[in-house]
Amino acid sequence: MKSAKGIDNLAFVPSSPDILRRLSASPSEIEISAFSSDPQKENSQPQELQKPQEPQKSPEPSLPSAPPNVSEEQLRSLSLSEFEEGPCGWRNFHPQCLQRFNTPRGFLLHYCLLAVTQGIVVNGLVNISISTIEKRYEMKSSLTGLISSSYDISFCLLSLFVSFFGERGHKPRWLAFAAFMIGLGALVFSLPQFFSGKYKVGSLFKDTCVTASNSTSCTSSTSSLSNYLYVFILGQLLLGAGGTPLYTLGTAFLDDSVPTHKSSLYIGTGYAMSILGPAIGYVLGGQLLTMYIDAAVGESTDVTEDDPRWLGAWWIGFLLSWIFAWSLIIPFSCFPKHLPGTAEIQAGKTSQAHQSNGNADAKFGKTIKDFPAALKNLMKNAVFMCLVLSTSSEALITTGFATFLPKFIENQFGLTSSFAATLGGAVLIPGAALGQILGGFLVSKFKMTCKNTMKFALFTSGVAFTLSFVFIYANCENEPFAGVSESYNGTGELGSLIAPCNANCNCLRSYYYPVCGDGVQYFSPCFAGCSNTVSHRKPKVYYNCSCIERKTEITSTAETLGFEAKAGKCETHCANLPIFLCIFFIIIIFTFMASTPITVSILRCVNHRQRSLALGIQFMFLRLLGTIPGPIIFGFTIDSTCILWDINDCGIKGACWIYDNIKMAHMLVAISVTCKVITMFFNGFAILLYRPPPPATDVSFHNENSVVTNVLAEQDLNKVVKEG
């Protein structure tokens, strides 16, 4: 909106005295830079910029080496030169068919494809393949946990440097590098399949009661297959190197290329696609696991998917992702450094950077020597640091629930692992994607300022906090379990799975295969005393079970079926599952509705030159304080509610088989409420501390070195030249 003096929207440009000032692409206006009168700073300016101060020479206040009569075409060429806007292509090869993609929407399309690919591999295929990798390469869960953490470690180590040096580099080419590294990481992750030889199927385990011992001797052996751990870690490190520029430089490039009010919508769409990736990864990986692991090399087996010895073709998805990721290298490499129209878009933006003593110096980012000073500058921005801590706290609970929500559903509502994982994914993935898009859309629709965006994020977090107490009311008590909460028909002791009815069966506590008989759940058919089975029926059924007493309440229909126990957990009498899923779906939506607004607020509250570095710092803290410790804290908390552990023949404690449902629900409420309070505290504190630039000012960046304003070209340029 223009004032009487012809001032238009405030310029949103880098405030550096030693480079050419960006000139607006608009035919009616240009930007004039007025420099500080500090003699020391004047001496450091280019010679051309000092000419206006010499009376014997023609004044050229802000257009070095340019004649006084500057044409509109010259203004446009200077603008394009600084922003390096150009056609889509390579060197002198610019096919016309590629120019339709040389727009923000065209870049967003390729950004979304790369984000989906990254999500498919890192959060989809890796997670769903971990259990298969454990069995195939004989690894402990602690080692596979190290594999999962390697991605975050790589991201933390590289995020600061990539975001700092990439800010002034060619961002689309950085994303081409990201596509290369993601593809290379997926390829390396699949390599153990081709060098470890064919999978050898072991002998079938007898799950019924037998007088011969099923026990194995307590021996510890080390397999050479576990050495492939380092290959998997290398693959994850490469994937982390690819993910770093994607979520720092890619986000900053989107913010550069669109007006302020559209930025949140574009960023939200990109982040939503990164959430869609894991859903595709789980579906794709799940289907590939139904294929035998060596089927692609002509091997077949009589083992079915229900057999514990079955291993699926986990590696095929990584090869497909490798090919798709590398197919995006060429599209990203053809984008120019800045999309056409970026200069004009930047001319219409107003700085909303938090005003503090820590505002960025104009010389930051030139060399590696500036890196510590740039970090210190951002650390002194109290609003930025509050927002970073807010997102870190939120990331802790979101990653914790993403990891353990299926386990919670499985134990609370007595479902199978696969069905619980399906329900968890059906709630988490659509809810998170919808929340990201809604948050970005609403911020864009109402053209919220930086402060209003933070208030909106605080409101959505408050709604999610209120609904978090659903865990208290949507929990279910444990069903009767023989030897744990129920005795073996009045025999045996609580806390012991051994009873007179199964004492001679030589059962293993390391083999958990629950069966249900007479409304009571048993640890395995062996512990139920079952000596016979009918394997061709689905679900598998057992009979002649010495620990199960037939009661008169059993119907004649059940008796004619001729079995006493069936595979699987007993059906739960708890009807809270639909209520829980609906409310938790709403919680996820409101939680992720705050994600895009917080990211936009971070981009707005810091200096324009330091946006990529700010995102790098955010993601580093987000992983150090959120995604890395989140699953660990949730894991320890859930383990504290265990009431029946797996203890092998060597006396070593393994996984937990049975949890106290009520205690688990209360512990998860405690974690959720605590993290939500921390999130809202830092979010609210950021709102209180935020100081926007003074209103009704003609300055886009307040800097001790320069002040940039917009004036009408046809009137003010001639006036300045004459007065010089």
Side-chain angles (χ1 to χ4, degrees), residues 495-518:
S496 175
L497 296 177
I498 304 297
C501 61
N502 59 27
N504 298 323
C505 292
N506 299 301
C507 303
L508 294 177
R509 279 190 60 171
S510 57
Y511 182 76
Y512 179 56
Y513 189 73
V515 295
C516 181
D518 195 23

Side-chain angles (χ1 to χ4, degrees), residues 458-658:
L458 179 62
F459 167 75
T460 58
S461 296
V463 175
F465 165 76
T466 305
L467 296 175
S468 296
F469 293 95
V470 67
F471 289 98
I472 295 179
Y473 302 103
N475 57 62
C476 300
E477 294 184 356
N478 294 78
E479 295 295 325
F481 197 108
V484 177
S485 60
E486 189 90 359
S487 65
Y488 286 90
N489 298 321
T491 62
E493 298 179 359
L494 291 181
S496 175
L497 296 177
I498 304 297
C501 61
N502 59 27
N504 298 323
C505 292
N506 299 301
C507 303
L508 294 177
R509 279 190 60 171
S510 57
Y511 182 76
Y512 179 56
Y513 189 73
V515 295
C516 181
D518 195 23
V520 178
Q521 185 171 313
Y522 295 84
F523 189 85
S524 70
C526 181
F527 279 102
C530 302
S531 57
N532 300 95
T533 180
V534 181
S535 58
H536 65 271
R537 295 185 56 174
K538 300 295 180 180
K540 196 174 181 180
V541 297
Y542 301 86
Y543 56 97
N544 292 334
C545 302
S546 59
C547 294
I548 300 177
E549 179 185 4
R550 282 183 174 265
K551 297 181 180 180
T552 56
E553 289 80 11
I554 298 179
T555 62
S556 58
T557 304
E559 292 176 357
T560 58
L561 293 177
F563 71 90
E564 297 170 336
K566 65 177 181 178
K569 298 178 181 179
C570 295
E571 294 183 3
T572 179
H573 300 289
C574 180
N576 294 334
L577 179 61
I579 300 175
F580 170 79
L581 292 178
C582 291
I583 299 180
F584 194 79
F585 181 72
I586 299 174
I587 293 176
I588 294 298
I589 292 177
F590 277 95
T591 296
F592 280 87
M593 278 178 68
S595 178
T596 300
I598 289 295
T599 301
V600 171
S601 299
I602 288 175
L603 292 171
R604 299 288 172 264
C605 76
V606 300
N607 184 276
H608 180 75
R609 286 178 170 273
Q610 295 187 302
R611 293 169 309 147
S612 295
L613 181 59
L615 290 176
I617 294 176
Q618 179 205 8
F619 280 108
M620 184 190 72
F621 274 93
L622 186 140
R623 277 162 171 74
L624 288 177
L625 303 179
T627 59
I628 293 177
I632 297 175
I633 293 175
F634 268 70
F636 276 113
T637 302
I638 291 177
D639 281 347
S640 68
T641 66
C642 182
I643 55 180
L644 181 63
W645 289 94
D646 169 25
I647 301 177
N648 64 14
D649 296 326
C650 301
I652 299 175
K653 183 185 295 185
C656 178
W657 297 130
I658 306 296

